[in-house]
Amino acid sequence: MSLKLAGDEMSAFLDQVFPQVRGMFAIDRLDDDLLVMRLHANEQHLRPGGTVSGPAMFSLADVAAYVATMARIGPQALAVTTNCSIDFMRKPVAGADILAHAKVLKLGRALSVTDVLLYSDGQPEPVARATLTYSIPPDR
Amino acid sequence: MSLKLAGDEMSAFLDQVFPQVRGMFAIDRLDDDLLVMRLHANEQHLRPGGTVSGPAMFSLADVAAYVATMARIGPQALAVTTNCSIDFMRKPVAGADILAHAKVLKLGRALSVTDVLLYSDGQPEPVARATLTYSIPPDR
Amino acid sequence: MSLKLAGDEMSAFLDQVFPQVRGMFAIDRLDDDLLVMRLHANEQHLRPGGTVSGPAMFSLADVAAYVATMARIGPQALAVTTNCSIDFMRKPVAGADILAHAKVLKLGRALSVTDVLLYSDGQPEPVARATLTYSIPPDR
Amino acid sequence: MSLKLAGDEMSAFLDQVFPQVRGMFAIDRLDDDLLVMRLHANEQHLRPGGTVSGPAMFSLADVAAYVATMARIGPQALAVTTNCSIDFMRKPVAGADILAHAKVLKLGRALSVTDVLLYSDGQPEPVARATLTYSIPPDR
């Protein structure tokens, strides 16, 4: 699947539609094969012990699936998450950013399905995995 | 299943273990049948259009499942979410609080499973549903 | 949500579109509030020890969600499952039928979401829970 | 993660613990990186149109996750599925076997988490994906 938006265009689009999370995420890589998104570990997302919280990891998986889908269909601010299943498998490393590796498994007319693996920056084993379905507005 | 913690004890416990979300949630009801938790709609959780974001709803479902489980086993700060599936079904009402209705379906030695329905305050139809599994430390 | 098909009409429709599972399931109750479907415990669905297998319980949850949705939109043989999350919580009682209690949580233009609780016949605690999403063809 | 059981030992173990599905599945590949399991398309698993049914695909994903886990911990007939999320993404090719590609993402003391992609034999795009959690008995 070829891309309709490059990484810097996508970053600008995200800042525009989700101003309230500006600075929270960054796009490390965006190409045909893979999207890598970064969650900057900061006070707001940490649990006691300094590890990133489950809801912050959910946010990262959700935005990564959105970005991976938008990159393929073009900017559609109205696409919405309809389903997510997420497994939390390991404790994140304290203080480390979280990286999401997202792959679009299906891009249909009405739905996209994206798999996401989450890693503590620098670690080989994933801390979580998620699959997200986005509903895509019919009028694109 | 009878309760080991009442609503006010649980609120105090939550403030202690999750100081970073203090004031975000409130316990509206906690008894043998049902837990009702409230997410106060405020700037931080809103999307453009004034509706509560998916990640904020995930946070509410997660903390509601935690509270419903803790109320039955006693305070165990170390219990961790291992799995969540969530379906976003309707757009929340702009500006309205979100209420989570949580029921513990299973309380085993090692795992709890909790169903959660999320409503915009005052609306009859749920905006989302979630099921969460918590892993419970063996040494309780 | 009022019903477009009664229990006996639905049974006839099921036999027609899924002839290969004829006799496997029965509709115990079908009204506006609830569908109760029965899986007849027989050799084919049993694991060693005489309990109903996970895949047989998945089949029951899947057909129950289908029936609950069809009863509301009218017969649409082409509706397909797009997502299921299922939690297996307790060992079923050996030799007992399994009953599915299904409720449609959302009926949209393109998707339905149905919650299902599964019980060993005569037991108060559920053996499993599932949520299923069906994609509904646009031309109904 | 190195393996405790080779493919032929695993096949013999499966025949012993699940005699009722003998001949339904085959192990095409089993090594440190990947398990490939095959579901033989036959009458019993087909829907009208000749495509493999959703419950048959669930069965394949379930047994593949079981085999991938058992290969790493040694034969534990008592391990049980506690959770599965599955997305059905494309219609399988009529009459084709289904292949499951399974990877164990986590092997803990009490739980394993396995990702499974399902393909119609010979096709590049997956027809479904699933993630399964197995509970592992403590006395291994």
Side-chain angles (χ1 to χ4, degrees):
Chain A
M1 289 180 278
S2 64
L3 302 183
K4 295 197 176 172
L5 282 185
D8 53 348
E9 294 169 309
M10 183 57 77
S11 294
F13 172 66
L14 273 186
D15 281 353
Q16 180 192 324
V17 295
F18 297 127
Q20 74 279 38
V21 295
R22 198 181 293 225
M24 184 170 165
F25 305 110
I27 297 174
D28 275 25
R29 172 183 162 185
L30 175 57
D31 57 36
D32 283 15
D33 295 322
L34 187 67
L35 163 71
V36 180
M37 276 200 88
R38 177 180 296 271
L39 170 71
H40 296 297
N42 69 29
E43 273 305 302
Q44 189 185 348
H45 316 128
L46 300 185
R47 283 275 185 265
T51 60
V52 171
S53 72
M57 287 192 273
F58 173 88
S59 295
L60 173 61
D62 190 35
V63 77
Y66 179 81
V67 166
T69 300
M70 292 303 104
R72 279 158 184 80
I73 65 174
Q76 294 278 345
L78 294 179
V80 292
T81 313
T82 57
N83 175 264
C84 174
S85 70
I86 186 164
D87 294 275
F88 298 100
M89 301 187 293
R90 294 177 180 87
K91 195 176 176 169
V93 172
D97 287 357
I98 304 286
L99 296 178
H101 291 209
K103 291 186 189 193
V104 176
L105 294 183
K106 181 193 176 175
L107 183 60
R109 272 173 309 142
L111 294 175
S112 72
V113 179
T114 305
D115 254 2
V116 183
L117 285 167
L118 301 180
Y119 299 86
S120 284
D121 196 2
Q123 300 298 312
E125 304 274 28
V127 294
R129 65 147 298 282
T131 306
L132 297 105
T133 301
Y134 267 81
S135 173
I136 302 170
D139 53 299
R140 58 173 167 137
Chain B
M1 288 180 280
S2 64
L3 301 183
K4 295 198 175 173
L5 283 184
D8 53 349
E9 295 169 308
M10 183 56 76
S11 295
F13 172 66
L14 272 186
D15 281 353
Q16 180 191 325
V17 296
F18 298 127
Q20 74 278 39
V21 295
R22 197 182 296 225
M24 184 170 164
F25 305 111
I27 296 174
D28 275 26
R29 171 182 162 186
L30 174 57
D31 56 36
D32 283 15
D33 295 322
L34 187 67
L35 163 71
V36 180
M37 277 201 87
R38 177 180 296 270
L39 170 71
H40 296 297
N42 68 30
E43 273 305 302
Q44 189 185 348
H45 316 127
L46 299 186
R47 283 275 185 265
T51 59
V52 171
S53 72
M57 287 192 274
F58 174 87
S59 294
L60 173 61
D62 190 35
V63 76
Y66 180 81
V67 165
T69 300
M70 293 303 104
R72 280 159 184 79
I73 66 175
Q76 294 278 344
L78 294 179
V80 292
T81 313
T82 56
N83 174 264
C84 174
S85 70
I86 185 164
D87 293 275
F88 299 100
M89 301 187 293
R90 293 177 181 87
K91 194 176 175 168
V93 173
D97 287 356
I98 303 286
L99 296 177
H101 290 209
K103 291 186 188 192
V104 177
L105 294 183
K106 181 193 176 175
L107 184 58
R109 272 172 309 140
L111 295 174
S112 73
V113 179
T114 305
D115 253 1
V116 183
L117 285 167
L118 301 180
Y119 299 87
S120 285
D121 195 3
Q123 300 298 312
E125 304 275 27
V127 294
R129 64 146 300 281
T131 307
L132 296 105
T133 302
Y134 267 80
S135 173
I136 302 170
D139 52 300
R140 56 174 168 135
Chain C
M1 290 181 278
S2 65
L3 301 183
K4 294 198 175 171
L5 284 183
D8 53 349
E9 296 170 308
M10 183 56 76
S11 294
F13 172 67
L14 272 186
D15 281 353
Q16 180 191 324
V17 296
F18 298 127
Q20 74 278 36
V21 296
R22 198 182 294 226
M24 185 169 163
F25 305 110
I27 297 174
D28 276 25
R29 171 181 164 186
L30 175 57
D31 57 35
D32 283 15
D33 296 321
L34 187 67
L35 162 71
V36 179
M37 276 202 87
R38 176 180 298 270
L39 170 71
H40 296 297
N42 69 29
E43 273 306 304
Q44 189 185 347
H45 316 127
L46 299 186
R47 282 274 185 267
T51 58
V52 172
S53 72
M57 287 192 273
F58 174 88
S59 294
L60 173 61
D62 190 35
V63 76
Y66 180 81
V67 166
T69 301
M70 293 302 104
R72 279 159 183 79
I73 66 174
Q76 294 279 344
L78 294 179
V80 293
T81 314
T82 56
N83 174 264
C84 174
S85 71
I86 186 164
D87 294 274
F88 299 101
M89 300 186 294
R90 293 177 181 87
K91 194 177 177 169
V93 173
D97 287 357
I98 304 286
L99 297 177
H101 290 210
K103 291 186 187 191
V104 177
L105 294 183
K106 181 192 176 175
L107 183 59
R109 273 171 310 140
L111 295 174
S112 73
V113 179
T114 306
D115 253 1
V116 183
L117 285 168
L118 300 180
Y119 298 87
S120 285
D121 195 3
Q123 300 298 312
E125 303 274 27
V127 293
R129 64 148 298 281
T131 306
L132 296 105
T133 302
Y134 267 79
S135 172
I136 302 169
D139 52 299
R140 56 172 167 139
Chain D
M1 289 180 279
S2 64
L3 302 183
K4 295 198 174 172
L5 283 183
D8 53 349
E9 295 169 308
M10 183 56 77
S11 294
F13 173 66
L14 273 186
D15 280 353
Q16 180 191 324
V17 296
F18 298 126
Q20 75 278 37
V21 295
R22 198 182 294 225
M24 184 169 165
F25 305 109
I27 297 174
D28 276 24
R29 172 182 163 186
L30 174 57
D31 57 35
D32 283 15
D33 295 322
L34 187 67
L35 163 71
V36 180
M37 277 201 87
R38 177 181 297 270
L39 170 71
H40 296 297
N42 68 29
E43 273 306 303
Q44 189 185 348
H45 316 126
L46 299 186
R47 283 276 184 266
T51 58
V52 172
S53 72
M57 287 192 273
F58 174 87
S59 294
L60 173 60
D62 190 36
V63 76
Y66 180 80
V67 166
T69 301
M70 292 303 102
R72 279 159 183 79
I73 65 174
Q76 294 277 346
L78 295 179
V80 293
T81 314
T82 55
N83 174 263
C84 175
S85 71
I86 186 164
D87 294 274
F88 299 101
M89 301 186 293
R90 293 176 181 87
K91 195 177 176 169
V93 172
D97 288 357
I98 303 286
L99 297 177
H101 290 209
K103 291 186 188 191
V104 177
L105 293 183
K106 182 194 175 172
L107 183 59
R109 273 172 309 141
L111 294 175
S112 73
V113 179
T114 306
D115 253 1
V116 183
L117 285 167
L118 300 179
Y119 298 87
S120 285
D121 196 2
Q123 300 299 310
E125 303 274 27
V127 294
R129 63 147 299 281
T131 306
L132 297 104
T133 302
Y134 267 80
S135 172
I136 302 169
D139 53 299
R140 55 170 167 140

